[in-house]
Amino acid sequence: MAVFSTLDETSIVHYDQSEPQLARPGILLTVFPDCHNDSTNIIIACLKSDKNGVMYLNKFDKMGYESMCLAVSSLMLTTNRNNTFFHPIYWKAIQNHQKLENFNNELSKNRGFDLLAKNIKLSEFNLFDEKLTSKKLNILS
């Protein structure tokens, strides 16, 4: 174990001294719609051997619904932004609800080693906002 410090918090992480650098958690994130229930399925995982990944996932255990939505939004918009894609109607809804500026602010944040921080960083932009559900946006028939 090693102590990792940033300006605002200290975390305990796993550090393998045989590695040239501190290993970031390898988080696998899959988000997909359930068209029959107007809901979203979220799978967050890591390899069992990824000790920092397991520590990161354990932080979700005590989160409430709202915090979990903001944490997953943060993962999607920062850590996993190169692999995050939106339905065109959803994207238009973000623009129509004057949320584009908030969205862009979230994308421009320098997150650095957020995945190693003591607390999961919460997004200020909630991708799971009730106003943006597929039913409200008429994506589902």
Side-chain angles (χ1 to χ4, degrees):
M1 294 295 172
V3 176
F4 173 75
S5 294
T6 62
L7 293 175
D8 57 346
E9 59 187 38
T10 301
S11 296
I12 296 174
V13 297
H14 176 77
Y15 177 61
D16 182 349
Q17 293 183 352
S18 67
E19 295 291 326
Q21 65 184 18
L22 184 62
R24 292 174 54 128
I27 302 301
L28 309 169
L29 174 66
T30 304
V31 180
F32 57 96
D34 180 347
C35 298
H36 304 290
N37 295 317
D38 192 32
S39 61
T40 302
N41 297 298
I42 301 170
I43 300 171
I44 304 173
C46 71
L47 296 176
K48 190 176 180 179
S49 60
D50 181 357
K51 292 179 182 174
N52 285 330
V54 172
M55 285 184 207
Y56 179 80
L57 292 181
N58 286 337
K59 295 174 187 178
F60 281 91
D61 288 347
K62 295 178 183 148
M63 280 190 157
Y65 176 78
E66 185 68 26
S67 293
M68 177 123 12
C69 289
L70 296 175
V72 174
S73 294
S74 181
L75 275 174
M76 291 174 69
L77 295 174
T78 57
T79 307
N80 203 33
R81 77 176 91 190
N82 293 335
N83 293 313
T84 298
F85 303 92
F86 298 106
H87 190 286
I89 294 172
Y90 184 90
W91 180 247
K92 281 185 182 179
I94 290 173
Q95 294 171 328
N96 292 341
H97 285 89
Q98 288 83 34
K99 294 180 182 278
L100 193 56
E101 185 176 337
N102 296 349
F103 184 83
N104 286 329
N105 287 339
E106 191 69 27
L107 287 176
S108 67
K109 288 183 181 176
N110 183 7
R111 293 297 195 174
F113 282 91
D114 274 3
L115 292 178
L116 294 172
K118 181 178 180 181
N119 297 312
I120 294 177
K121 299 297 182 188
L122 303 181
S123 175
E124 294 176 19
F125 187 88
N126 187 357
L127 292 172
F128 303 95
D129 187 324
E130 287 294 319
K131 296 175 193 159
L132 300 173
T133 64
S134 56
K135 192 175 269 186
K136 297 250 187 204
L137 299 176
N138 293 320
I139 293 174
L140 296 176
S141 52

